[in-house]
Amino acid sequence: MQQKNNKLKKALVVKLTPIELLDSAVMRMIGVVNGLCENGYDVTILATPFFGELTHELQPCLQRSKVIRLGSGGSTLYNSLGSGSKLKKSIRDILSKTARRLYPYDNSYAYLKYVDIKMLPEDQYDVVISLSDPKTSHLAVKKFIMQGLKYNKWVQYWGDPFTYDITSELIYPKFMKKSVERELMGNADRIVYVSPFTLEVQKNAFKNKADKMYCCVPPYLKTRVVEKEENGRFDVGYFGSYMTVARNILPLYEACAEIDDIHMTIVGNGDVTLEGKENITILPRGEVEMMEDNTDLLVCILNSRGTQIPGKIYLYAATNKAILVITDGENGDRIREFLSEFDRYYFCKNDKDSIIKAISEIKNDTRKWAPCAAFESGSVAYNLIGE
């Protein structure tokens, strides 16, 4: 998609995390960047430094984008406690927990002091997209605008909302959270959410912004059609967080423990103790793509409350694997109805007997699956910016 003068359109994508991370929020950003490239945009990305060891190759769309890193920043005190003794780790954990309760932004806020319009390679952008989390991405764009940034359209692409984020530990009363969130929205031209049910709540909560609010499902970066290495068993995988504030993994764990002819792999961080069994492997959070490729059934668990839809539901739709969505929470039935439109998922309730029945039926189902075109990055990026 090019302008009539044959010059590429210019896009600025802002997300105040390292682009090297592999969490679902970064994957959503990469999908947006890839979609912009497919639609004929020259992309500049504003990100924060990456201090770890890179264990994977950056996606081609990132390699051909201009990537600008904010200064070495972060919280000096917080970073100084990043390694060393157990005492330092304990102090760091206490500071982190206290900050999450008392302060609306994470430590990426410290990078905002490095935001300077002079670092941008272009004088004007056709579209500016800020992605949260973190919410500070939106503040960075506001600061650029205050410094004179010229642009045609500013799109905010929200993961979790602010006021109604079920994982937030912030102790602010609701009216204060709404005030902060309203300030974050600023003068954005489009405020986009990943869930139609979050959109519904947000339109009701911020009526004066409702006409600027839209829904756009997260994109996947590329299709992943991989045949599993034959091992003579049916492999089930859950790859993601299972913190009890958001999800209840115990019915899945208990169900798989009672199904003899499957093997279950659980990879992720949680605050419940899960013990490995003969047919269940428990691993901490780590790289999972190879494990996903060698899984017959990918499992997603909906949040136990709230309106958000886990991003992995969309990322898994890029594969040729069977996907089981375990519904939960007050919006579980509505989310099931919404996702059913894509004809890509199996569903069951979040109780042991329902899960046992669903997995047993899926194991005997000979249906062949293919990637869902509705979540392809080029189409999603086109819808996101409202073209």
Side-chain angles (χ1 to χ4, degrees):
M1 189 186 308
Q2 297 183 346
Q3 294 176 319
K4 290 181 179 179
N5 60 6
N6 292 323
K7 289 185 178 180
L8 292 176
K9 290 184 178 182
K10 308 292 184 180
L12 173 63
V13 175
V14 178
K15 189 178 189 305
L16 298 196
T17 57
I19 62 173
E20 292 82 0
L21 301 181
L22 293 172
D23 59 40
S24 59
V26 172
M27 295 307 294
R28 175 164 54 94
M29 181 274 291
I30 297 174
V32 169
V33 171
N34 190 68
L36 289 169
C37 291
E38 288 184 1
N39 281 290
Y41 279 84
D42 179 34
V43 181
T44 299
I45 302 171
L46 181 74
T48 56
F50 178 66
F51 298 109
E53 182 180 348
L54 188 62
T55 59
H56 59 279
E57 186 176 355
L58 290 180
Q59 295 293 337
C61 64
L62 298 180
Q63 295 183 34
R64 65 175 179 261
S65 298
K66 305 182 189 75
V67 180
I68 300 170
R69 309 278 186 167
L70 290 174
S72 59
S75 167
T76 303
L77 173 60
Y78 190 80
N79 290 338
S80 71
L81 297 170
S83 61
S85 67
K86 290 183 178 179
L87 176 60
K88 279 189 174 184
K89 184 179 184 304
S90 296
I91 295 173
R92 179 185 171 106
D93 290 345
I94 292 171
L95 286 174
S96 179
K97 185 173 183 178
T98 302
R100 290 196 301 268
R101 292 176 61 82
L102 299 178
Y103 196 64
Y105 306 113
D106 63 13
N107 64 331
S108 64
Y109 187 87
Y111 285 103
L112 291 174
K113 64 186 176 185
Y114 297 104
V115 172
D116 186 341
I117 195 171
K118 295 176 184 175
M119 66 175 55
L120 298 178
E122 307 294 341
D123 296 326
Q124 182 169 347
Y125 289 90
D126 295 280
V127 62
V128 177
I129 303 175
S130 52
L131 296 98
S132 56
D133 286 313
K135 312 296 191 289
T136 50
S137 304
H138 307 311
L139 293 179
V141 173
K142 289 187 67 175
K143 189 170 181 180
F144 276 133
I145 293 172
M146 290 176 62
Q147 294 173 357
L149 177 67
K150 297 177 182 179
Y151 63 97
N152 295 339
K153 184 185 296 184
W154 175 19
V155 180
Q156 294 184 350
Y157 197 14
W158 289 68
D160 294 318
F162 186 86
T163 304
Y164 298 101
D165 181 1
I166 66 170
T167 64
S168 173
E169 299 176 37
L170 192 64
I171 61 174
Y172 286 17
K174 186 181 290 186
F175 79 90
M176 287 183 65
K177 291 182 179 179
K178 289 184 70 173
S179 177
V180 172
E181 189 164 10
R182 189 176 292 107
E183 183 68 18
L184 277 168
M185 293 174 182
N187 294 318
D189 299 289
R190 290 173 64 86
I191 305 167
V192 184
Y193 301 96
V194 296
S195 164
F197 311 107
T198 299
L199 172 65
E200 183 180 284
V201 170
Q202 293 295 99
K203 280 190 169 186
N204 187 58
F206 300 95
K207 291 183 170 61
N208 63 326
K209 303 277 189 180
D211 62 337
K212 296 182 177 182
M213 292 181 173
Y214 304 87
C215 174
C216 184
V217 298
Y220 58 69
L221 177 60
K222 60 181 180 181
T223 58
R224 290 169 52 195
V225 178
V226 180
E227 294 304 321
K228 174 194 164 187
E229 294 178 6
E230 187 53 52
N231 60 7
R233 71 187 187 193
F234 189 81
D235 285 289
V236 180
Y238 177 86
F239 306 103
S241 170
Y242 48 94
M243 303 297 289
T244 52
V245 68
R247 296 181 192 120
N248 179 14
I249 197 174
L250 290 178
L252 173 64
Y253 174 77
E254 293 166 356
C256 290
E258 294 190 14
I259 307 175
D260 295 329
D261 54 349
I262 69 165
H263 185 272
M264 176 74 189
T265 300
I266 297 174
V267 182
N269 295 335
D271 53 2
V272 294
T273 301
L274 303 178
E275 296 182 357
K277 296 180 178 293
E278 186 176 347
N279 73 327
I280 299 180
T281 300
I282 310 295
L283 297 170
R285 179 178 177 177
E287 292 188 39
V288 297
E289 186 167 327
M290 288 185 64
M291 287 185 277
E292 291 171 346
D293 288 343
N294 284 295
T295 296
D296 295 290
L297 174 63
L298 298 168
V299 180
C300 297
I301 303 174
L302 293 187
N303 295 341
S304 52
R305 57 192 175 94
T307 58
Q308 287 296 89
I309 300 174
K312 285 187 181 295
I313 287 179
Y314 302 104
L315 295 179
Y316 286 165
T319 73
N320 58 329
K321 307 295 182 181
I323 306 167
L324 174 61
V325 177
I326 299 177
T327 62
D328 206 344
E330 71 277 15
N331 290 296
D333 290 340
R334 299 175 69 206
I335 293 174
R336 173 176 180 159
E337 183 178 355
F338 168 68
L339 293 175
S340 294
E341 297 175 7
F342 301 104
D343 193 26
R344 183 61 185 86
Y345 307 98
Y346 296 99
F347 300 92
C348 74
K349 295 284 189 181
N350 197 13
D351 65 74
K352 184 179 71 173
D353 292 340
S354 296
I355 295 170
I356 290 174
K357 181 180 178 183
I359 292 177
S360 299
E361 291 177 353
I362 294 168
K363 189 167 71 72
N364 294 315
D365 192 340
T366 59
R367 190 182 325 187
K368 300 295 183 183
W369 293 100
C372 179
F375 310 138
E376 188 273 329
S377 63
S379 298
V380 171
Y382 186 83
N383 293 330
L384 174 66
I385 61 182
E387 290 194 338

